[in-house]
Amino acid sequence: SGVPEKIPDHVALSLYRVAQEGMRNIVKHSKAKSATVTLTGDSGYMRLSLEDQGGGFSPDEARGRRTFGLISMSERIRQAGGTFTLDSTAGAGTRIEAYVPLAAAE
């Protein structure tokens, strides 16, 4: 909702790739029966959220393994001038949020 008509190409690609990798991880690892993907924004920012009620995991353990998927998602958003957050608890699902201010992207 509220997504501007024109989004800088590199922001759109970064958000698309994060959504793609996030959904791939949900299908491959979470055992969730469903997931929610939300894209919101206005002329100043874009926010992507992916959430599932699957098995969850320990983010600290995943960072310790230096998993390429999580690293690439975080790095893509950082390079677009935004922030990437991951919240997951074993047995309670996972939520990923990517926030990119469009002013920094131009």
Side-chain angles (χ1 to χ4, degrees):
S1 67
V3 175
E5 209 169 291
K6 180 70 178 137
I7 301 167
D9 290 343
H10 71 284
V11 171
L13 180 60
S14 294
L15 292 171
Y16 174 80
R17 293 295 186 204
V18 167
Q20 183 180 42
E21 180 65 23
M23 291 302 296
R24 182 178 296 134
N25 286 346
I26 289 169
V27 168
K28 186 175 180 181
H29 302 293
S30 78
K31 298 182 179 140
K33 295 194 185 303
S34 65
T36 302
V37 179
T38 307
L39 182 65
T40 58
D42 64 22
S43 61
Y45 74 92
M46 294 295 302
R47 181 179 309 227
L48 171 69
S49 173
L50 291 91
E51 187 170 3
D52 71 61
Q53 298 302 316
F57 62 96
S58 167
D60 291 335
E61 287 179 21
R63 284 185 198 100
R65 289 191 310 265
R66 308 239 349 122
T67 59
F68 182 71
L70 293 175
I71 292 169
S72 69
M73 287 190 283
S74 177
E75 188 62 17
R76 281 185 184 277
I77 298 304
R78 187 192 66 76
Q79 287 180 348
T83 58
F84 176 85
T85 59
L86 168 72
D87 183 28
S88 186
T89 303
T94 300
R95 180 177 180 90
I96 290 173
E97 285 199 7
Y99 174 88
V100 180
L102 295 177
E106 295 175 351

